[in-house]
Structures are given as structure tokens and as C-alpha cells.
Amino acid sequence: MAQHLKSSSKSILLNILRHNIGFSSPSHASRHLRHNLPHGPLTTRLSPNPITRYCNTMVDTLSSIGSHEDTNSQVMDFPGGKVAFTPEIHFISESNEERVPCYRVLDDNGQQLTNSQFVPVSKEIAVKMYSDMVTLQMMDNIFYEAQRQGRLSFYATAFGEEAINIASAAALSPDDVIFPQYREPGVLLWRGFTLQEFANQCFGNKSDYGKGRQMPVHYGSNKLNYFTVSATIATQLPNAVGAAYSLKMDEKDACAVTFFGDGGSSEGDFHAALNFAAVMEAPVLFICRNNGWAISTPTSDQFRSDGVVVKGRAYGIRSIRVDGNDALAMYSAVHEAREMAIREHRPILIEALTYRVGHHSTSDDSTRYRSADEIEWWNKARNPLSRFRTWVESNGWWSDEAESDLRSKIKKEMLEAIRVAEKTEKPNLNHMFSDVYDVPPLNLREQELLVRQAIKSHPQDYPSDVPL
């Protein structure tokens, strides 16, 4: 308050001198007082009146107004914190000279780096992590082949991204709420979703929790806190922030976790979600799978910034870049991020650098926009399964025999799951019009009537295995 009054008095004095005596500027007024007042301490010649004494102090400080040194030391009180002034024209650089480093624990050969920092993993957790990574890879292989045989309408694999799936899931609590994209089935697998449940959803039978109303790989499970996948890019991000804020309000020992690809960061929902989360201090983890390609669009055409990790600072969000093909690094980063998010009530952004070895989906041929050599190099040199297996074996927790037994077991279970899913009856037609409204509105009833009339008029075009 004193500083404010002092500044106001200074302004008043200068304006009186400028307007009533004719000085052209505050600095002109200051120089005039300096040169024309008698020599000697001003306080010995002026009245002891408090205002006069303050004018004496003002005269001594007027000459500093607008000086280079004084401007550099001044700050502006502005919402969010003090902002320093500078007399120089200086633009913030569009990029750093050095890119943000990438946290990793294992090198490309699966050897632990010297002095590496990571959260300890028990034998039980490590073996389950590796087993689930193998299971996810084999499940993708078999479902992919089923689609190529015409038994599934669509499929998308997680080849090359198994570590992000499984390691992040292992670091979370079952109470944490997951808002996935369409390349995180490993999170469900870790939480106990069975191969039969995966098959039921892909084949859209009556045992499918979505009652056949979703595309394959669009899984969901209320029991496992896994929200149903939405095909629309990035819409899950604001939803995750809202859920996280709700968990915070209810003082739950849990957070929300949402996954998205590098292409998702080009959507408006990404920016709205990060800003919302930062301002509301919501305990949410944003995990970006930066796999180099948004379908056929390379990251160089997505953004000019240093990846996605630098976007966190712009919104006031703590961030880290991680080697997404290093299971130990992913586990450690997510484990620490979760603790911070819940304990400190804050969002965390994790950019996981990985590579999509498979096609974007069965509707894509990635060799049209990237070389086969590039794909093969990532599949061999940076393979997340082989790297983690090397580390697990170095601890004496895995063997060739265990590998053979696991793969044989998974293959049998997968083939049986597909056989059962194919033979299971499809959902009834009326499920197309249920579960949204307690009492279906008129327009929905009219649509159902039109569908049934069309089926009656053209029975040969309606699938015979879908009950009416």
C-alpha cells in the first residue's frame, strides 16, 4: 500500500509541474527541480510539513524515473504472479537448441544402464508384465489374421507398443479410471479382461458388453474401470479431466488416466483438456503414445515443437519424456507420476516415444508412406519384448522353456475363444434402440419401425444370424 501511495504522489507531483509550469515531460520537470533549487539539504529549507518532506524525497528520486536500471528492477503485479519488465525487445525462441532428453533404464539390447534410476519391480510383477506383453502380441497376430480371413470386419494392433500398454497398467491401481484410445487393450488384459471377452467384443455377439453396437477393438468394462473406446480422436481427454476432478472432490485415492496418439495433440480437445486440468488441479495422467505416425501423417507434419512433452509447460503441467519401448522406464515414470498426481493434486503429461510397427489398422497399408526397412529396423533394434525379456532373464526369472509353454498355452486359448465367439448368437435387433432412454422418444421409435419394414421388404439382405 505504501509503495502504491508513493507512486501515486510521484505521479501527482510530476503532473502539477508539467501542466501548471509548462514542462513537456516528467524527466524535464525532474531536471528543472534539480538545477533550480538552492544547494544544500532540502530538508533544512522547507517546512517540516509531512507533505513537504515527502516532496523532498520525491525530488531525490524523480531523476530515476524511466532510467534503464530502474526499469530492469521493476515488476508488474499480475494475476498468476509478478512479471519483470525489460527494456529490450526479446522474443521467446520457437524451440530449444537441445531437445528434451528421453528417460530410459534399459539400452537397446536390454542391458540396464549404469546409475539408472527406476522403481524396483518384484519377480511376480516382472513375469506378469512380460507374459502379458507376449499375450497381447499373440492376440493381435491371431485377430489380425482372422480379419484377413474375412471373419472380422476390422482390427487394429498394438505391435511395437506393448510396453506402453502393459507397463503403464502395472504401475496403476485398479481404482484408477482409464480413458483409452483404441490401442490400449493391454491395460484391460492386465486388469483381468479374458481372451474370451476380447473375442466376444470383436465378433459382436450377445456376450459382448456393448451388445454389438461398436466396431471391433472398441472395448469397455465397467467392472475394470475402463471406459468404452470412442473412435473420435481425443474426445476422451476432457472426459478424463472431469472424472479426475470428481475423484479429487470425493477425496479418492485414485486418479484418471487417458491415452492418446501424437495426432491427438492436434485436436482442440487436447488443448482444452490440458488447460482445464491445470487450472482445476485435477489428478489426471495424460499418456501420449508418440509413435511417429498419425495414420499416414508423420509428426513433422503434425507440429513444429519438440514433440508433445514441451506443450505441458505452456499449460503449467509437469511433464516427462520416456522411452516407450522400455518397460522398466514406462513402469517407473507412470508409478511416480501417479503418486504425484494424487498426492499433490496435479495433472502430469507423459510423452512415450515409441513406434507403430503394424499398420494403423486393417484398413491401412503403411508401406505406402514409409519404408519396409524402417519398420523392420524398429521391430528388431528397438523391440520392447526382446529388451524386457533380456532383463527378466538376467534376473533368473525366465527361460526358453517358460517362453515355449506360454506361447503354446496362449495360442490354444485364443483359437478356442474365437471358435466360441463365432458360434455365439448375435444380439437382438432391439438392442440398437435400447439403453439410451428410459422411454424411447418418438423419432427413435419411428427409426426402429422403418428398419423392421426394410427387413420385411428385403429379407435376403438381412443377416440371418441376427435375431429380430
Side-chain angles (χ1 to χ4, degrees):
M1 178 63 75
Q3 181 65 34
H4 177 70
L5 290 173
K6 193 172 183 179
S7 299
S8 298
S9 299
K10 184 186 296 184
S11 176
I12 292 171
L13 178 59
L14 288 174
N15 282 326
I16 290 173
L17 291 171
R18 183 155 54 98
H19 292 294
N20 293 318
I21 303 179
F23 295 121
S24 60
S25 67
S27 59
H28 187 189
S30 175
R31 288 196 300 273
H32 179 83
L33 288 174
R34 284 287 185 190
H35 293 317
N36 291 286
L37 284 173
H39 296 291
L42 194 61
T43 52
T44 62
R45 296 187 302 281
L46 295 180
S47 165
N49 184 292
I51 297 179
T52 305
R53 287 200 303 270
Y54 182 66
C55 287
N56 170 45
T57 305
M58 288 289 295
V59 170
D60 288 335
T61 60
L62 283 175
S63 60
S64 68
I65 296 177
S67 70
H68 181 85
E69 294 77 17
D70 184 64
T71 302
N72 281 345
S73 64
Q74 290 181 350
V75 295
M76 177 194 299
D77 285 324
F78 196 78
K82 294 181 182 296
V83 179
F85 288 107
T86 177
E88 301 175 357
I89 299 178
H90 178 71
F91 293 90
I92 297 174
S93 175
E94 69 279 5
S95 63
N96 296 324
E97 293 183 3
E98 295 184 7
R99 301 192 69 179
V100 174
C102 183
Y103 166 64
R104 68 169 4 185
V105 177
L106 303 177
D107 65 18
D108 289 347
N109 298 317
Q111 302 298 320
Q112 188 175 320
L113 299 175
T114 304
N115 299 323
S116 57
Q117 301 175 357
F118 67 96
V119 177
V121 180
S122 67
K123 175 183 177 180
E124 179 185 8
I125 296 296
V127 169
K128 177 170 167 51
M129 284 172 61
Y130 179 70
S131 297
D132 280 3
M133 288 169 69
V134 172
T135 303
L136 176 59
Q137 184 187 72
M138 293 191 66
M139 181 179 78
D140 278 348
N141 266 315
I142 294 173
F143 276 143
Y144 183 86
E145 290 301 320
Q147 194 282 332
R148 287 301 189 230
Q149 295 167 4
R151 299 159 77 181
L152 290 179
S153 61
F154 174 87
Y155 196 74
T157 67
F159 294 142
E161 303 177 41
E162 295 89 350
I164 295 177
N165 270 248
I166 304 301
S168 60
L172 300 172
S173 162
D175 294 328
D176 296 330
V177 183
I178 308 298
F179 289 82
Q181 201 181 8
Y182 40 71
R183 225 177 289 279
E184 285 78 39
V187 179
L188 263 182
L189 182 67
W190 177 270
R191 293 190 168 198
F193 209 66
T194 67
L195 296 180
Q196 189 62 63
E197 288 175 306
F198 281 114
N200 290 337
Q201 196 283 325
C202 287
F203 283 90
N205 60 37
K206 70 176 184 180
S207 297
D208 168 26
Y209 301 131
K211 300 179 181 178
R213 294 176 295 203
Q214 277 276 19
M215 295 168 62
V217 307
H218 288 57
Y219 311 108
S221 173
N222 291 337
K223 179 178 67 175
L224 300 177
N225 284 327
Y226 191 96
F227 275 70
T228 300
V229 176
S230 171
T232 313
I233 301 298
T235 55
Q236 72 274 18
L237 303 184
N239 295 338
V241 180
Y245 189 59
S246 176
L247 291 171
K248 174 184 172 181
M249 292 172 61
D250 291 340
E251 299 182 349
K252 299 287 187 180
D253 185 24
C255 65
V257 184
T258 184
F259 296 83
F260 60 102
D262 46 276
S265 68
S266 296
E267 295 287 338
D269 280 345
F270 167 82
H271 302 280
L274 264 65
N275 192 55
F276 180 24
V279 172
M280 304 307 294
E281 299 178 328
V284 55
L285 306 187
F286 296 101
I287 302 180
C288 174
R289 293 174 290 93
N290 186 347
N291 60 25
W293 296 91
I295 308 183
S296 60
T297 304
T299 54
S300 58
D301 290 342
Q302 284 288 340
F303 38 69
R304 292 294 300 273
S305 61
D306 179 13
V308 176
V309 66
V310 295
K311 301 178 189 294
R313 174 175 288 182
Y315 288 104
I317 294 179
R318 191 171 296 170
S319 310
I320 186 173
R321 172 175 282 162
V322 184
D323 182 348
N325 288 17
D326 179 350
L328 281 182
M330 277 302 302
Y331 176 85
S332 300
V334 175
H335 184 280
E336 292 299 293
R338 179 185 184 274
E339 292 296 313
M340 286 188 291
I342 296 174
R343 182 179 65 250
E344 302 175 20
H345 300 297
R346 66 166 65 247
I348 305 289
L349 171 63
I350 298 174
E351 180 188 23
L353 300 185
T354 183
Y355 190 81
R356 172 170 55 80
V357 172
H359 304 299
H360 182 266
S361 72
T362 50
S363 301
D364 170 49
D365 178 7
S366 62
T367 61
R368 300 288 297 273
Y369 51 83
R370 57 181 185 173
S371 70
D373 290 341
E374 175 183 308
I375 299 171
E376 187 64 16
W377 184 85
W378 275 94
N379 191 34
K380 290 184 176 179
R382 296 273 174 85
N383 189 289
L385 275 79
S386 59
R387 287 171 69 184
F388 192 54
R389 176 180 174 176
T390 298
W391 183 81
V392 175
E393 285 182 328
S394 69
N395 287 284
W397 298 339
W398 200 250
S399 64
D400 289 343
E401 182 181 359
E403 182 84 11
S404 179
D405 290 343
L406 174 65
R407 290 183 177 274
S408 176
K409 172 177 173 290
I410 295 169
K411 184 176 182 179
K412 290 179 182 178
E413 291 180 359
M414 275 299 306
L415 295 177
E416 176 63 13
I418 288 177
R419 187 191 68 80
V420 172
E422 281 187 308
K423 289 189 173 183
T424 301
E425 188 180 44
K426 298 295 184 183
N428 194 285
L429 177 67
N430 59 25
H431 288 311
M432 286 182 62
F433 308 94
S434 63
D435 296 341
V436 176
Y437 301 95
D438 181 31
V439 178
L442 178 61
N443 65 317
L444 198 59
R445 295 200 301 270
E446 289 177 347
Q447 289 175 29
E448 182 177 6
L449 179 62
L450 289 173
V451 168
R452 294 189 180 280
Q453 288 175 346
I455 294 171
K456 187 176 181 180
S457 301
H458 307 280
Q460 71 280 2
D461 297 326
Y462 184 77
S464 60
D465 58 343
V466 178
L468 293 174

